[in-house]
């Protein structure tokens, strides 16, 4: 075949500009380029979803390649095969005639083969006296050689996505197992907390898993499951800290009972500073119970905060805390209110809380008062970021997203 030749289809098949571009692109094949035909076929098979092909399309392409006598596709070769429909049907495992024509059209549409039709639409080759093929009419395999590198990249992309899908499924399965067993243990052993409500959230998430989920659907569900697992662990850690504090109180009472009566006044705080020394460990334990969630999940639930990061983006926790200070000033939250939140919740969780308030700014009358209220609840162990982030994650993932 001469490079750059363009032929129009025989009969009623229309000519399109896409077909013209496909045939002209053959001129771009580098001189001396080669590709192993079955390696290219394996890449096409792997990249089938991205190429819009079906299993039968691969069977037809396999049959076409079997009519090419050599193992390598070379730029300086005649790359046209010319089997009859009967021969193709036989090598394509008895595929029906109408099905054969449909999948040949799909291969042409996918840009994997091109047609070079004769005047009467027949497929044949014209040979010289030396026995070499001078010209042939049939299906040109040149696009496979032209796109061999591209097809290899598409195959790698599909393989990587398949691997990521499998790993995401595994992570979701492990997360589901963890949550289910933690909830069961908490309910059976009488841990404090509304575990019935937590179980309802879990069951709702499980029911949302599709029968054949996409990677995007699995990733979104894994994010929500991860948030729920964090919330369950936070509740259990609060339960543990509460039990430890009760045990410490009982130990202190026994210590006081064994002390001498005249020394009892020395055990009482004599100033506000000394009283604070006893309260700080309790606040630290409550702050520790409010664990910082993964930054990626926070940014998915609260995308608005990213615009206030350095350079309009957030690359780490330091950037998030810097953006939170900017948002605090913008929303009119006093420095003292934010400082108190940082002391009670920890700086990371205080920054996340500001990001959540920014997402709901249009529904909050006083951001400063709202932050003080949350800080007070956190000090009492009554506030957790998990449900807030889960609600925002669901809201920002749907069409009904609202930005304040």
């Amino acid at each position: 075949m001469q490079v750059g030749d363009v032929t129009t289809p025989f009969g009623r098949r229309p000519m399109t500009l896409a077909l013209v571009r496909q045939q002209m692109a053959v001129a771009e094949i580098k001189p001396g380029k080669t590709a192993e035909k079955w390696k290219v076929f394996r890449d096409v098979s792997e990249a089938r979803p991205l190429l819009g092909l079906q299993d039968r399309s691969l069977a037809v392409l396999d049959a076409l390649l079997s009519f090419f006598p050599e193992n390598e596709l070379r730029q300086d070769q005649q790359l046209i095969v010319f089997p009859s429909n009967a021969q193709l049907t036989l090598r394509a495992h008895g595929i029906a005639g109408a099905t054969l024509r449909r999948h040949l059209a799909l291969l042409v549409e996918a840009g994997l083969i091109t047609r070079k039709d004769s005047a009467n639409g027949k497929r044949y080759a014209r040979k010289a006296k030396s026995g070499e093929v001078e010209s042939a009419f049939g299906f040109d395999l040149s696009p496979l050689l032209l796109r061999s590198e591209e097809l290899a990249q598409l195959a790698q992309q599909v393989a990587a996505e398949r691997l990521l899908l499998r790993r995401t499924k595994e992570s979701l399965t492990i997360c589901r197992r963890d949550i289910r067993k933690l909830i069961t243990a908490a309910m059976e052993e009488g841990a404090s907390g509304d575990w019935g409500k937590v179980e309802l959230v879990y069951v709702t998430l499980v029911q949302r898993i599709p029968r054949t989920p996409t990677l995007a659907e699995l990733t979104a569900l894994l994010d929500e499951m991860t948030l729920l697992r964090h919330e369950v662990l936070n509740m259990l850690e609060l339960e543990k800290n509460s039990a430890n504090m009760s045990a410490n109180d009982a130990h202190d009472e026994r210590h006081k009972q064994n002390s001498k009566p005249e020394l009892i006044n020395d055990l009482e705080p004599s100033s506000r500073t000394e009283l604070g020394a006893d309260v700080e460990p309790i606040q630290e334990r409550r702050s520790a119970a409010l664990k910082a969630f993964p930054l990626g999940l926070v940014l998915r639930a609260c995308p608005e905060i990213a615009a206030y990061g350095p350079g309009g983006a957030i690359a780490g926790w330091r950037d998030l805390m810097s953006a939170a200070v900017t948002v605090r000033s913008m929303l009119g939250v006093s420095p003292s209110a934010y400082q108190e939140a940082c002391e009670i919740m920890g700086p990371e969780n205080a920054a996340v809380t500001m990001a959540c308030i920014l997402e709901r700014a249009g529904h909050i009358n006083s951001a400063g008062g709202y932050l003080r209220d949350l800080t007070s609840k956190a000090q009492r162990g009554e506030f957790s970021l998990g449900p807030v982030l889960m609600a925002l994650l669901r809201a920002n993932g749907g069409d009904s997203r609202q930005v304040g």
Side-chain angles (χ1 to χ4, degrees), residues 27 53 61 63 108 119 154 169 176-177 182 192 216-217 223 226 242 259 274 284 286 293 295 313 342 361 378 381:
L53 300 178
L61 180 59
V108 173
L154 291 177
K169 283 183 178 179
R176 285 178 57 187
R177 181 190 66 199
L182 289 171
S192 60
E217 291 171 334
D223 287 345
T226 303
S242 177
S259 300
E274 293 177 9
E284 288 175 2
R286 286 168 178 164
F293 290 92
L295 181 61
C342 290

Side-chain angles (χ1 to χ4, degrees), residues 126 132 198 202 243 276 371 389:
R126 186 178 291 115
E132 294 182 356
V198 175
Y202 168 76
L371 179 63
L389 288 173

Side-chain angles (χ1 to χ4, degrees), residues 14 31 37 92 96 102 104 145 152 174 177 250-251 280 309 317 389 395 400:
K37 68 177 182 180
R102 183 170 70 253
L104 285 170
L145 177 60
I174 293 172
R177 181 190 66 199
H251 176 75
E280 282 178 3
W317 281 104
L389 288 173
S400 59

Side-chain angles (χ1 to χ4, degrees), residues 123-291:
R123 300 171 200 146
Y124 60 90
R126 186 178 291 115
K127 296 184 179 181
K129 291 181 180 181
S130 61
E132 294 182 356
V133 175
E134 285 186 335
S135 60
F137 299 95
F139 299 102
D140 189 357
L141 305 177
S142 298
L144 291 173
L145 177 60
L146 173 67
R147 301 179 61 189
S148 58
E149 295 90 354
E150 177 195 351
L151 294 171
Q153 291 178 356
L154 291 177
Q156 292 175 5
Q157 177 183 338
V158 171
E161 289 178 355
R162 184 183 298 114
L163 177 61
L164 182 58
L165 180 66
R166 185 170 68 249
R167 289 180 175 176
T168 304
K169 283 183 178 179
E170 291 174 354
S171 298
L172 182 60
T173 299
I174 293 172
C175 194
R176 285 178 57 187
R177 181 190 66 199
D178 291 347
I179 296 171
R180 178 67 273 173
K181 291 194 173 184
L182 289 171
I183 292 175
T184 300
M187 296 176 76
E188 289 179 351
E189 298 182 24
S192 60
D194 192 352
W195 294 105
K197 182 178 179 181
V198 175
E199 185 176 38
L200 180 61
V201 174
Y202 168 76
V203 171
T204 302
L205 286 176
V206 172
Q207 290 175 343
R208 286 172 48 199
I209 301 177
R211 184 178 297 274
T212 54
T214 64
L215 178 59
E217 291 171 334
L218 280 180
T219 302
L221 285 167
L222 179 59
D223 287 345
E224 294 191 51
M225 281 284 187
T226 303
L227 283 173
L228 181 58
R229 181 170 59 182
H230 274 282
E231 176 62 15
V232 170
L233 291 174
N234 283 344
M235 292 173 66
L236 292 175
E237 187 162 352
L238 285 172
E239 169 78 9
K240 182 191 73 174
N241 291 339
S242 177
N244 289 341
M245 290 186 347
S246 298
N248 290 338
D249 290 343
H251 176 75
D252 290 342
E253 287 178 5
R254 288 194 298 272
H255 180 73
K256 288 180 181 180
Q257 289 171 358
N258 294 332
S259 300
K260 295 181 181 180
E262 62 267 23
L263 298 178
I264 193 166
N265 290 333
D266 294 337
L267 299 175
E268 297 177 356
S270 58
S271 67
R272 187 179 185 88
T273 303
E274 293 177 9
L275 178 62
D278 292 333
V279 174
E280 282 178 3
I282 298 174
Q283 293 178 346
E284 288 175 2
R285 286 192 291 269
R286 286 168 178 164
S287 176
L290 272 169
K291 291 181 178 178

